[in-house]
């Protein structure tokens, strides 16, 4: 369902229809599609073809993050950072950096420089990030 919604978004093989896109994303999210929750959050955050709605964006990103969506977790960190909740922001960034997110690792580095993260936090994030990246690499992938 998410893929079909994306086709309506892009107008690939079907007429471009943002209303249909959002309808299909909502249906897919109700069935547990994490990517749909993330996409709905993105739509409401940017107000691309709907009225901007930060509460709805946050809700859908929280749903996606709880299911392991790394970019949604990073975006929740941005929400907290913008609200001045640096401790919560760093927690979100630590989780997403641990799944290999480079931008979150940079946020922790910056947080360390600004005094919002400890040296221990930064070291843990570096180790977890490296382990995640190492797990994703394989000899077969390197050969391709």
């Amino acid at each position: 369902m998410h893929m079909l919604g994306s086709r309506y978004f892009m107008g690939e093989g079907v007429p471009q229809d943002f209303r249909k896109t959002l309808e299909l994303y909502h249906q897919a999210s109700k069935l547990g599609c994490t990517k749909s929750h993330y996409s709905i959050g993105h739509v409401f955050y940017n107000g691309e073809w709907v009225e901007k709605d930060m509460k709805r964006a946050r809700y859908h990103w929280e749903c996606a993050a709880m299911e392991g969506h790394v970019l949604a977790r990073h975006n929740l960190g941005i929400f907290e950072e913008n609200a001045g909740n640096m401790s919560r922001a760093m927690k979100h960034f630590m989780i997403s950096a641990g799944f290999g997110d480079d931008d979150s690792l940079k946020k922790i580095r910056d947080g360390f420089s600004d005094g919002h993260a400890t040296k221990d936090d930064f070291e843990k994030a570096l180790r977890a990030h490296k382990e995640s990246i190492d797990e994703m690499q394989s000899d077969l992938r390197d050969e391709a």
Side-chain angles (χ1 to χ4, degrees), residues 96-110:
S96 51
F99 285 101
D101 185 57
D102 295 333
D103 291 333
S104 292
L105 185 62
K106 290 174 189 169
K107 286 289 192 179
I108 296 166
R109 181 197 62 208
D110 295 345

Side-chain angles (χ1 to χ4, degrees), residues 75-94:
N75 289 348
L76 291 174
I78 298 294
F79 260 107
E80 295 297 345
E81 181 181 44
N82 290 341
N85 301 325
M86 296 308 293
S87 176
R88 288 179 61 102
M90 289 298 125
K91 288 177 184 176
H92 286 297
F93 295 142
M94 290 288 290

Side-chain angles (χ1 to χ4, degrees), residues 131-143:
E131 288 173 12
S132 178
I133 298 300
D134 289 348
E135 284 179 16
M136 288 186 261
Q137 291 182 348
S138 72
D139 293 337
L140 293 175
R141 184 177 293 148
D142 292 341
E143 288 175 18

Side-chain angles (χ1 to χ4, degrees), residues 38-70:
Y38 175 76
S39 297
I40 295 167
H42 189 75
V43 167
F44 283 111
Y45 181 81
N46 290 312
E48 292 169 333
W49 19 275
V50 297
E51 188 174 331
K52 200 173 205 175
D53 187 334
M54 294 305 184
K55 276 184 143 177
R56 290 174 88 176
R58 182 184 188 108
Y59 168 77
H60 285 285
W61 282 343
E62 285 173 347
C63 291
M66 286 188 288
E67 294 297 322
H69 197 286
V70 177

